[in-house]
Each structure stands twice: as C-alpha cells, then as structure tokens.
C-alpha cells in the first residue's frame, strides 16, 4: 500500500517551487496545463528508471557492469552514457511529444521554459518518492535537492523555446542538441561530485566542488529566467583589460567556493544534528558546537555575498556612469 505521507513529502516541495516559477514567468500557460506537464514529468521518471534497468541488464550481459561502475572511471562512464542521457532524454521527450500533439499556436519562449521546469519538477517528485520509499535519503536531503533537475534541464528548455517560438526555427534547431548535451554533462558532474565523499582520499576532496557547482547552475537558471522576463542580465565581469577580467573571474570563482561550501557546511550540520533528541541538543557542548558551526558558515556565506555585491557595484559604475 502506498504511504500517503511519503507521496506528499515527495510532491509538495516540487509543486511549491513550480508555483514560485509560475508566478515569475510571463505568458505562462494555464495552471491546469502546467500540472499536466508535471504529471508527464513523473511518468518520464518511471520510464527513465525502466530504461536504466534495461541498460544495466544488457550491459551486465556484455561485461561485468556492476564491477565496472564501482570504480571512479566507471562511475563517470555510467553517468555520461547511462544516467545523464536517459534521464535528460526522457524529460526532453516529455516536453516535446505533448507540445507537438497539442500544438495549435506558436508558444512563447517563456511558456516552453516553464513547461520544461514543470516536467523536471515532476521528474523530481517521482525520484523523491523512490528515494523516500526505499529509505535511501531523508526528507531534508530530498527537499534541499528539489530544484536540481530544473537546473539540469533549463539550458535545453530555453533552446527548445527559442526554436519553437522563432519564425525561422531551423536556425535555432542546432542549439537544442548542444544545450541538451550540456545538460547531460552537468547532470553527470553533479552526480559524480555528490558521491565523492564515499571515495578515498584525495578524491574525497571533490565533494567540496558539489555545492559550488550547484550554486553556479542556480545562477545560470536565474539568468535564463531574467532573459524570458525581458530583464537585463546581471553582469559581474565588467573589466576592460584582460588583467581586470581575470581578477574578476577569480573573485567569482572564490565567491562560488565560499558560498557553496557555506551551504555545504550547514547541510552537513543538519545531517549531524537531525538524529539527536532534544535532551542531547540541550547539552552545552552540543549547543556550542552547533552555534560555532552556524556562525562560521554564515561568515563564509556573507563574505561570498559581499564579493558578489562588490562585483555588481563595479559593473553598475562602469555601465551607467
């Protein structure tokens, strides 16, 4: 019997995030249509899981695939030729097929992007339920990862929207595959980095690139949303000379590392304290540990935010004065 509470925990965070993006997108399709694409996304998740199972069975009949995918090169290979292509391909099909079947008028770029986000979040809901049902991830971990599939799929969703909304679509068609390939690679990178803390040293240090990379993908999604909202992009690199631009790029990278690992530190802290009961949490040493870790990560986070504001202020001065 299906546990209703697990279904709610799996579906409500993606639905809330979908509502947030729906309010931000101009020319958004009707809410009922958006929810229909959310369901298509969940179905595409089931299809992707089935295709991955078939791939694993065929691969094991040819080589010892279970043994290959335990090593780091095998993990990377699996993500690049199995997980990334299958999952991003199923999401792409869940957007393209219904649009082609129901296409009665030319959709706006923003409409295609929000439909892509709806499918990606539906895929997330299905994936959340699988993880929660099997107990392989906590509700907190799945909730914090809610936007990840939307961040994966945003590039090809934008490219598809450019193709569908353009009067000369053939000129934009070539960008769809490039954007989809970009999503597959980013998908693979995130999955490899997310499992890096299970490696032996020094490969374990790769895990410190996980949240900075997610932060960069979130930035990329926000920039695409600003484009469809007809807002100017947020400019951080504004130097005139190569030396200035190199310095500013270094600051951006530093801010991503600081901000991403501040989030990572708070995430690890939440994982550590979540199993503890109230009496243990009220222990002086435990409280001091929690407080110092929170303050330390907040310090790094505010430092990253300060670098971001500094770069924006320089760009404003350069472009408006």
């Amino acid at each position: 019997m299906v546990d209703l509470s697990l279904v709610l925990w799996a579906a409500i965070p993606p639905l809330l995030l979908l509502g947030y993006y729906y309010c931000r997108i101009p020319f958004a399709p009707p809410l009922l249509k958006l929810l229909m694409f959310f369901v298509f996304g969940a179905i595409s998740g089931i299809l992707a899981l089935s295709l991955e199972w078939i791939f694993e069975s065929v691969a094991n009949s040819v080589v010892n695939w279970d043994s290959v995918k335990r090593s780091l090169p095998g993990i990377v290979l699996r993500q690049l030729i199995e997980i990334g292509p299958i999952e991003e391909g199923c999401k792409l099909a869940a957007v393209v097929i219904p649009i082609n079947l129901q296409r009665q008028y030319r959709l706006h770029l923003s409409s295609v992007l929000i439909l892509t986000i709806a499918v990606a979040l539906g895929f997330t809901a299905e994936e959340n339920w699988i993880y929660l049902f099997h107990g392989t991830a906590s509700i907190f971990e799945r909730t914090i990862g809610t936007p990840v599939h939307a961040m994966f799929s945003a590039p090809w969703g934008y490219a598809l929207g450019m193709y569908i909304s353009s009067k000369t679509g053939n000129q934009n068609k070539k960008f769809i595959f490039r954007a989809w390939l970009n999503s597959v690679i980013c998908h693979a990178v995130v999955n490899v980095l997310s499992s890096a803390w299970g490696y032996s040293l020094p490969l374990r240090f790769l895990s410190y690139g996980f949240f900075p990379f997610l932060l960069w993908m979130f930035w990329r999604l926000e920039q695409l949303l600003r484009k469809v909202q007809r807002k100017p992009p947020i400019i951080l690199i504004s130097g005139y000379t190569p030396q200035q631009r190199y310095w500013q790029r270094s600051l951006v990278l530093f801010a991503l590392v600081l901000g991403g690992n501040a989030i990572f530190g708070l995430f690890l802290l939440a994982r550590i304290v979540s199993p503890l009961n109230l009496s243990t949490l009220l222990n002086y040493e435990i409280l001091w540990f929690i407080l110092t870790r929170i303050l330390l990560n907040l310090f790094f986070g505010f430092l990253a935010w300060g670098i971001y504001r500094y770069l924006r202020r320089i760009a404003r001065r350069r472009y408006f004065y």
Side-chain angles (χ1 to χ4, degrees):
M1 185 175 177
V2 177
D3 189 335
L4 182 59
S5 64
L6 291 184
V7 174
L8 292 176
W9 277 114
I12 288 176
L15 284 171
L16 290 175
L17 189 60
L18 180 59
Y20 167 71
Y21 285 128
Y22 175 76
C23 294
R24 291 181 58 185
I25 292 288
F27 307 109
L31 188 57
L32 185 60
K33 186 172 185 178
L34 208 61
L35 292 175
M36 182 175 66
F37 273 75
F38 183 89
V39 173
F40 292 157
I43 295 171
S44 74
I46 298 171
L47 177 61
L49 193 63
S50 303
L51 291 175
E52 286 165 6
W53 181 81
I54 293 171
F55 182 96
E56 299 270 342
S57 300
V58 173
N60 271 315
S61 67
V62 177
V63 296
N64 190 355
W65 185 246
D66 287 335
S67 177
V68 170
K69 67 183 185 183
R70 291 193 188 100
S71 64
L72 179 59
I75 292 171
V76 174
L77 182 65
R78 178 173 180 256
Q79 294 298 328
L80 286 173
I81 70 172
E82 178 190 344
I83 304 297
I86 288 176
E87 295 191 359
E88 293 304 318
C90 288
K91 285 186 284 183
L92 178 60
V95 176
V96 171
I97 294 173
I99 286 178
N100 284 335
L101 290 176
Q102 301 179 22
R103 190 173 174 184
Q104 299 173 350
Y105 55 92
R106 194 180 304 278
L107 293 172
H108 290 279
L109 166 59
S110 57
S111 297
V112 179
L113 182 59
I114 189 62
L115 290 176
T116 300
I117 291 174
V119 164
L121 291 174
F123 191 102
T124 300
E126 181 274 339
E127 192 174 75
N128 284 350
W129 183 81
I130 293 294
Y131 277 97
L132 295 177
F133 179 78
H134 291 283
T136 51
S138 67
I139 292 172
F140 171 74
E141 290 170 340
R142 295 311 304 171
T143 300
I144 201 173
T146 298
V148 173
H149 274 287
M151 294 190 296
F152 288 153
S153 304
W156 60 254
Y158 184 85
L160 183 65
M162 289 286 291
Y163 168 68
I164 291 174
S165 63
S166 175
K167 294 180 180 179
T168 56
N170 288 332
Q171 295 180 1
N172 298 309
K173 194 173 183 179
K174 60 183 179 181
F175 296 115
I176 298 175
F177 176 75
R178 294 180 188 176
W180 178 83
L181 187 61
N182 178 285
S183 297
V184 169
I185 294 171
C186 289
H187 196 139
V189 170
V190 166
N191 284 351
V192 170
L193 293 178
S194 69
S195 58
W197 42 65
Y199 308 154
S200 59
L201 291 174
L203 294 176
R204 192 177 301 169
F205 290 116
L206 288 172
S207 61
Y208 291 101
F210 177 53
F211 275 93
F213 192 73
L214 287 180
L215 199 56
W216 172 78
M217 287 204 306
F218 175 77
W219 167 264
R220 182 177 66 173
L221 173 58
E222 286 298 308
Q223 292 287 69
L224 293 176
L225 287 170
R226 289 182 71 87
K227 283 186 178 182
V228 301
Q229 290 174 304
R230 301 186 184 279
K231 294 181 179 179
I234 297 174
I235 298 173
L236 298 180
I237 310 299
S238 59
Y240 291 130
T241 66
Q243 291 81 4
Q244 289 175 333
R245 297 178 72 83
Y246 177 78
W247 169 244
Q248 289 170 357
R249 289 191 184 100
S250 300
L251 285 178
V252 169
L253 180 61
F254 187 50
L256 286 173
V257 171
L258 284 175
N261 283 296
I263 299 171
F264 184 36
L266 293 172
F267 171 75
L268 289 179
L269 179 63
R271 290 186 66 180
I272 291 170
V273 303
S274 58
L276 303 179
N277 56 42
L278 183 60
S279 60
T280 305
L281 286 173
L282 293 177
N283 180 275
Y284 172 78
E285 293 182 356
I286 299 296
L287 282 174
W288 179 249
F289 172 81
I290 294 171
L291 179 62
T292 54
R293 290 303 182 274
I294 289 175
L295 291 176
L296 180 64
N297 287 296
L298 286 179
F299 169 76
F300 289 132
F302 281 121
L303 186 58
W305 178 254
I307 294 171
Y308 168 77
R309 298 303 304 175
Y310 165 74
L311 291 171
R312 286 204 65 183
R313 187 168 63 251
I314 291 176
R316 287 196 192 100
R317 288 176 181 174
R318 189 148 293 171
Y319 283 92
F320 295 105
Y321 294 99

